[in-house]
Amino acid sequence: MFDRSRRNLAYWYAASMGGILVVFAGVGYSFIVQAQLRNFDDLLYKRSRIVSGIQPSIPGILQPVPVDFAYARWYRVDRQRIKYIGSPGSNYLVGTIGFETIGSFRQLTLPIQRQNQTIGYLQVAAPLTPLQQSLEQVRFFLLIGVPTTIALIGITGWILGGIAMQPSRKAYAQLQRFTADASHELRAPIAAVLSNAQVGLMPPEEPQEQHDRLERVVEIAKSMSALVNNLLWLARHEELDRTQFQTIDFVELIRSLDYPNDRNVTLSLPDRPVQIEADPELIRQAIANLLSNAFKYTPQEGTVRVELIAQQTVIVRVIDTGIGIPAEDLPHIFERFYRVDTARSRQTGGFGLGLAIAQQIIQAHQGQLTVTSQLGSGSTFQIELPLKAPLSKLQ
Ligand code: ADP
């Protein structure tokens, strides 16, 4: 699909630019022909005046082509030929006063005047060969130059098309992978719902068994609904409406989050408000995702610590002493549907979307979400966001 569009783009680019080039070349060529002919005529006129004894000064436009007479004929005022050099022609003056092209000659017929009186006529002609040769060179140059330039334009169009299509190609590949991953994630729970329903349709079973079966269906449906909600969220929140942003106290927001009572959680927060411009619900969701992971991947006896440091920017760290993340997985964990180890996420019911959502939220707030982790010793997720105003103004 992209290659066809790229080919079309290159083709139309070459066709349109080539069309413009051909028109320009045509106009340029006719201009050169006219200018050369004017030059040739000027020289012919100049030479003819020398022959008739009067030397006019006529400026040339282009490099003049040499003019050699093919013939020169003198006529009396009654148009009877008196003298000639070269081909004699007819005995009487034939042709109009001025310039004429006769075959491969340029002919000029002039009245010869003395004291404002026409005393005879002069007719001179020069072969057009030098002019034709010079134009032939121009034509040769255009014949080679124009198709070469069009080919170069086509190649340029092809290259530019490739560059221009790169973001769409990437976005399309991402979309395809996203759709494939989402369908894949939904296939397993749908199959589970189907098999439970099919077994439920069979001859009646024990009420308890039936109850368990329905409970499983409810659980699966809940998990599917969570997945669909997450997918919709990711699709809708590519860009945030900044008019929804409010000034919020980050310290207060972190304090107000839900922390399980049975876990060892420490909060290290400044004792003064730290203000940021943000959508409070989204920021809450991002930190909640990090916290939920910290609890999911840290054993009961481990610790989870939340730190907030306000300097030039606001830094929030969620530090756990959990199972950690292997170094080779670290560059990928923010990708949608990426799970370090499907087995460990399956146990905890994750889809691999929590970090992708958190990162999307933080980036939409002009912040950064980063991670450092040591397999077996724990992980630190860090959010960095711009402060609403310089710290000095808040103190
Ligand atoms: P999931 O819903 O599977 O947890 P996430 O996007 O939240 O998806 O996380 C992606 C993967 O990163 C998880 O599958 C998990 O393996 C790993 N991970 C995330 N947070 C932590 C953490 N605090 N400790 C260890 N592994 C983590």
Side-chain angles (χ1 to χ4, degrees):
M1 178 180 80
F2 284 101
D3 278 343
R4 206 182 49 216
S5 311
R6 191 180 173 187
R7 254 198 318 275
N8 282 346
L9 202 77
Y11 171 78
W12 283 112
Y13 185 60
S16 53
M17 297 301 278
I20 295 171
L21 187 73
V22 167
V23 169
F24 266 97
V27 171
Y29 179 73
S30 80
F31 172 77
I32 290 171
V33 170
Q34 279 168 25
Q36 288 271 35
L37 195 62
R38 215 166 28 240
N39 237 321
F40 193 86
D41 288 350
D42 285 347
L43 271 167
L44 188 62
Y45 179 72
K46 214 166 150 188
R47 294 281 311 268
S48 70
R49 300 299 285 181
I50 297 168
V51 172
S52 70
I54 308 149
Q55 168 126 33
S57 83
I58 299 158
I61 297 168
L62 290 176
Q63 193 59 32
V65 288
V67 176
D68 286 319
F69 286 143
Y71 55 81
R73 298 165 189 155
W74 286 263
Y75 300 88
R76 282 204 311 247
V77 75
D78 61 357
R79 298 188 166 225
Q80 171 89 42
R81 193 189 65 218
I82 339 167
K83 204 163 89 168
Y84 67 88
I85 302 170
S87 132
S90 134
N91 288 338
Y92 284 92
L93 177 64
V94 185
T96 50
I97 304 292
F99 292 100
E100 261 179 299
T101 301
I102 298 165
S104 58
F105 293 103
R106 189 74 172 157
Q107 179 180 281
L108 171 63
T109 310
L110 281 174
I112 304 170
Q113 293 187 322
R114 291 275 183 280
Q115 284 139 16
N116 283 340
Q117 281 248 314
T118 301
I119 55 163
Y121 296 95
L122 169 68
Q123 190 171 62
V124 291
L128 281 167
T129 333
L131 181 72
Q132 280 164 346
Q133 276 169 354
S134 146
L135 289 177
E136 212 164 282
Q137 275 176 6
V138 175
R139 277 201 302 275
F140 179 75
F141 171 78
L142 290 178
L143 216 72
I144 303 287
V146 170
T148 312
T149 313
I150 293 176
L152 284 176
I153 290 172
I155 294 169
T156 314
W158 174 256
I159 294 168
L160 289 181
I163 295 170
M165 245 162 232
Q166 239 163 25
S168 332
R169 205 187 267 264
K170 224 166 121 187
Y172 184 71
Q174 259 174 0
L175 192 74
Q176 260 188 332
R177 212 188 59 211
F178 185 61
T179 314
D181 287 344
S183 319
H184 178 79
E185 289 299 330
L186 282 168
R187 208 157 45 189
I190 288 171
V193 169
L194 191 69
S195 71
N196 275 295
Q198 278 168 338
V199 174
L201 284 173
M202 285 167 152
E205 46 187 0
E206 289 294 306
Q208 185 55 42
E209 267 181 48
Q210 213 164 18
H211 180 265
D212 291 350
R213 194 170 299 288
L214 282 175
E215 243 178 15
R216 279 195 60 200
V217 170
V218 170
E219 280 309 309
I220 298 166
K222 272 187 190 163
S223 132
M224 276 203 289
S225 152
L227 171 63
V228 169
N229 283 342
N230 281 342
L231 291 178
L232 280 176
W233 191 94
L234 280 166
R236 284 186 189 146
H237 289 76
E238 285 282 341
E239 272 177 29
L240 294 186
D241 178 6
R242 290 187 72 85
T243 57
Q244 298 295 311
F245 282 21
Q246 302 167 14
T247 302
I248 54 170
D249 176 8
F250 214 164
V251 176
E252 187 47 44
L253 186 138
I254 291 176
R255 234 181 237 130
S256 70
L257 290 167
D258 286 333
Y259 300 96
N261 291 329
D262 57 340
R263 303 300 298 254
N264 192 350
V265 186
T266 331
L267 301 186
S268 165
L269 306 170
D271 45 14
R272 55 181 170 71
V274 172
Q275 290 186 320
I276 57 162
E277 280 286 332
D279 181 321
E281 280 321 304
L282 295 181
I283 292 288
R284 187 187 291 273
Q285 158 110 53
I287 300 177
N289 286 5
L290 299 185
L291 274 176
S292 126
N293 278 349
F295 293 128
K296 265 198 285 189
Y297 301 111
T298 304
Q300 195 76 17
E301 59 282 6
T303 60
V304 174
R305 181 182 160 82
V306 182
E307 273 181 13
L308 192 156
I309 303 160
Q311 286 167 342
Q312 269 74 33
T313 54
V314 186
I315 291 174
V316 176
R317 293 196 187 108
V318 178
I319 309 161
D320 67 56
T321 57
I323 58 174
I325 303 163
E328 65 269 24
D329 291 301
L330 279 178
H332 306 289
I333 56 165
F334 296 108
E335 290 170 15
R336 294 170 183 187
F337 293 111
Y338 191 85
R339 282 174 300 219
V340 170
D341 164 4
T342 29
R344 72 168 164 170
S345 293
R346 273 274 166 264
Q347 287 167 9
T348 44
F351 291 110
L353 289 175
L355 287 180
I357 291 176
Q359 192 185 49
Q360 194 163 314
I361 293 173
I362 300 303
Q363 283 178 348
H365 283 82
Q366 267 74 52
Q368 275 186 46
L369 173 59
T370 49
V371 59
T372 50
S373 185
Q374 192 77 46
L375 194 61
S377 352
S379 314
T380 299
F381 284 86
Q382 176 175 301
I383 291 174
E384 188 171 3
L385 284 167
L387 263 175
K388 179 186 180 330
L391 200 58
S392 54
K393 291 194 187 160
L394 298 172
Q395 284 168 338

